[in-house]
């Protein structure tokens, strides 16, 4: 499923362009009323420009969300994915209602309390287009996740539009 940004009221629709060969073990969504600016080049991530979409969120809590559900989250950090030359931030977060939410406050806590999760997220997003004959995606910031403070600074400096 994805948000149809080119349609009125941006409905959630079935993505007919991609066929995913394997499942993910987290919730995947977006931050409403945000936008990755396609006119801004980020030098920290190979000079990539924003992908002209809302900022994506990977929620790592234990409960499976429903399509279109709105969650209150704690952003923990982010992965700077480069997808076909475009910057596509993946904010890693946890739902405030998750039983383990009090254990994680920054990206370093994720590996401690959810071992292997960041690697699994990065590997999934790196490889998910390969079955369609496309190259593996890359990641900026030394292939590591940015911490919460750095994410807030990057989003501010890159002039993301918050509705």
């Amino acid at each position: 499923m994805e948000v149809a940004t080119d349609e009125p009221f941006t409905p959630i629709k079935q993505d007919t362009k991609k066929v995913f060969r394997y499942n993910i073990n987290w919730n995947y969504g977006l931050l409403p009323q945000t936008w990755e600016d396609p006119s801004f080049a980020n030098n920290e991530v190979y000079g990539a420009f924003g992908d002209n979409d809302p900022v994506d969120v990977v929620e790592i809590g234990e409960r499976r969300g429903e399509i279109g559900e709105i969650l209150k989250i704690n952003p923990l950090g982010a992965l700077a994915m480069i997808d076909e030359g475009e910057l596509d931030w993946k904010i890693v977060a946890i739902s405030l209602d998750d039983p383990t939410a009090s254990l994680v406050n920054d990206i370093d806590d994720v590996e401690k309390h959810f071992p292997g999760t960041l690697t699994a997220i990065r590997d999934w997003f790196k490889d998910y287009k390969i079955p369609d004959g496309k190259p593996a995606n890359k990641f900026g910031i030394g292939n590591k996740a940015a911490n919460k403070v750095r994410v807030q600074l990057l989003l501010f400096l890159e002039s993301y539009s918050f509705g």
Side-chain angles (χ1 to χ4, degrees):
M1 307 302 284
E2 78 174 3
V3 174
T5 58
D6 57 345
E7 294 185 26
F9 306 110
T10 57
I12 299 171
K13 297 177 76 171
Q14 180 69 44
D15 185 347
T16 58
K17 298 177 290 191
K18 298 181 204 100
V19 176
F20 301 110
R21 308 286 195 258
Y22 51 101
N23 292 329
I24 57 174
N25 297 312
W26 49 82
N27 294 306
Y28 186 54
L30 59 93
L31 294 176
Q33 299 182 346
T34 61
W35 175 60
E36 296 189 62
D37 188 346
S39 67
F40 182 82
N42 185 316
N43 293 332
E44 203 166 12
V45 286
Y46 310 112
F49 292 86
D51 70 353
N52 202 30
D53 281 332
V55 176
D56 297 332
V57 176
V58 177
E59 193 277 325
I60 61 171
E62 62 185 39
R63 188 180 71 79
R64 181 179 175 193
E66 299 295 325
I67 294 171
E69 182 178 0
I70 297 172
L71 299 176
K72 293 179 182 177
I73 60 166
N74 178 11
L76 305 169
L79 294 166
M81 186 176 87
I82 312 301
D83 181 356
E84 297 182 36
E86 296 178 330
L87 177 57
D88 189 2
W89 285 105
K90 305 297 179 194
I91 304 295
V92 178
I94 191 158
S95 170
L96 294 177
D97 294 330
D98 192 85
T100 60
S102 64
L103 300 174
V104 287
N105 294 302
D106 204 340
I107 203 69
D108 293 334
D109 295 331
V110 174
E111 193 58 35
K112 185 187 324 181
H113 297 287
F114 297 87
T117 297
L118 288 175
T119 299
I121 292 168
R122 189 174 32 254
D123 287 350
W124 193 91
F125 282 109
K126 178 177 65 83
D127 297 337
Y128 82 104
K129 289 186 175 181
I130 291 174
D132 296 329
K134 295 184 178 179
N137 290 319
K138 297 178 185 175
F139 289 87
I141 312 176
N143 210 34
K144 298 194 181 319
N147 67 24
K148 179 189 285 193
V149 172
R150 192 168 186 189
V151 169
Q152 292 168 341
L153 179 62
L154 287 169
L155 291 175
F156 174 76
L157 292 176
E158 292 189 14
S159 302
Y160 283 85
S161 173
F162 290 87

